Amino acid sequence: MQRLVLTGSQNRRIGRGLSGGERKRLAFATELLTDPPLLFCDEPTTGLDSFQAMALVRLMRSLTARGTTIVCTIHQPSSDLYNMFDQLLLMADGRMAFLGAPDDALHFFHK
């Protein structure tokens, strides 16, 4: 609850008592309860402010350090979030445009 910044809302009802960002983080937290080896996240940072988005991505990074594989989509991440990812897959028109380390993407597209 602390890592997902949910301690302040721990006694609120899920339906009407939580904000959209809190509901989003709670949904992510419930997925972690089973300690899955593979986690698919569809835009987990959408609707979160920059602080909450960074906290969520830091948590995802700590999970990958423990062996969890995480595949997620993120549209228009901030540069700080972008730099936190180990691997990047960029798509254009439904086709793979780039696969590799985020630091290599700029060099690849410059060519």
Side-chain angles (χ1 to χ4, degrees), residues 21 25 32 42 56 88 94:
R25 294 190 318 273
L32 299 180
D42 184 22
L56 183 63
L88 180 66

Side-chain angles (χ1 to χ4, degrees), residues 8 11 20 39 42 44 53 61 65 71-72 78 81 88 97 110:
N11 295 318
L39 191 59
D42 184 22
R61 283 190 58 86
V71 177
C72 71
S78 69
L81 283 182
L88 180 66
H110 183 70

Side-chain angles (χ1 to χ4, degrees), residues 7 29 33 40 48 66 74 103 110:
T7 54
L33 291 175
F40 289 97
L48 302 180
R66 292 186 344 191
I74 294 188
D103 290 343
H110 183 70

Side-chain angles (χ1 to χ4, degrees), residues 2-19:
Q2 287 177 334
R3 293 180 84 181
L4 289 169
V5 195
L6 288 170
T7 54
S9 56
Q10 66 186 358
N11 295 318
R12 290 193 209 142
R13 291 183 184 249
I14 292 173
R16 294 183 181 173
L18 298 179
S19 71

Side-chain angles (χ1 to χ4, degrees), residues 7 11-12 14 19 22 33 41 44 51-52 57-58 61 64 66-67 81 83 91 93 103 109:
T7 54
N11 295 318
R12 290 193 209 142
I14 292 173
S19 71
E22 289 168 329
L33 291 175
C41 302
F51 174 79
Q52 294 169 349
V57 174
R58 275 191 209 102
R61 283 190 58 86
T64 62
R66 292 186 344 191
L81 283 182
N83 290 323
M91 298 184 73
D93 296 324
D103 290 343
F109 286 108

Side-chain angles (χ1 to χ4, degrees), residues 21-86:
E22 289 168 329
R23 281 194 300 267
K24 185 114 181 170
R25 294 190 318 273
L26 178 61
F28 186 81
T30 58
E31 293 299 321
L32 299 180
L33 291 175
T34 60
D35 195 24
L38 176 63
L39 191 59
F40 289 97
C41 302
D42 184 22
E43 300 186 47
T45 60
T46 299
L48 302 180
D49 63 30
S50 60
F51 174 79
Q52 294 169 349
M54 289 293 286
L56 183 63
V57 174
R58 275 191 209 102
L59 175 59
M60 291 186 336
R61 283 190 58 86
S62 71
L63 292 170
T64 62
R66 292 186 344 191
T68 303
T69 300
I70 299 178
V71 177
C72 71
T73 59
I74 294 188
H75 294 140
Q76 298 180 332
S78 69
S79 58
D80 291 333
L81 283 182
Y82 175 88
N83 290 323
M84 292 180 74
F85 287 93
D86 297 321

